Amino acid sequence: PPPRKTPFFSPPPRGVVADVLCDRVAIIDDGQIVALDTPDALKARAARANGHNVTLEDVFMELTGKKLRVEEE
């Protein structure tokens, strides 16, 4: 059967899951889609010269200019 097209909504810290499960990822900022592409294409947009593997979190921060908040448990 063809793959299902199920939306997966996730806050930025879950980017690793989205990277594995999703064919396309939308970066949403303040209710607006600021980017929509494959995980690899989005990460290519945010390639950095600091030598680490670019994550979808990096893409989010670069495209929105925002930092991630880590909530304490």
Side-chain angles (χ1 to χ4, degrees):
R4 295 177 186 223
K5 297 182 180 191
T6 303
F8 171 74
F9 293 97
S10 170
R14 303 292 184 261
V16 173
V17 175
D19 202 358
V20 173
L21 293 179
C22 300
D23 295 321
R24 292 189 315 156
V25 174
I27 304 294
I28 301 172
D29 184 33
D30 291 327
Q32 300 294 314
I33 295 175
V34 295
L36 175 65
D37 213 330
T38 65
D40 287 339
L42 289 172
K43 289 187 287 185
R45 288 174 146 191
R48 297 224 169 105
N50 62 8
H52 81 281
N53 291 331
V54 176
T55 65
L56 290 174
E57 286 86 354
D58 295 325
V59 174
F60 175 84
M61 290 185 290
E62 184 151 320
L63 293 176
T64 65
K66 296 180 178 177
K67 294 183 179 180
L68 300 179
R69 288 187 314 211
V70 178
E71 295 183 21
E72 295 183 27
E73 295 180 24

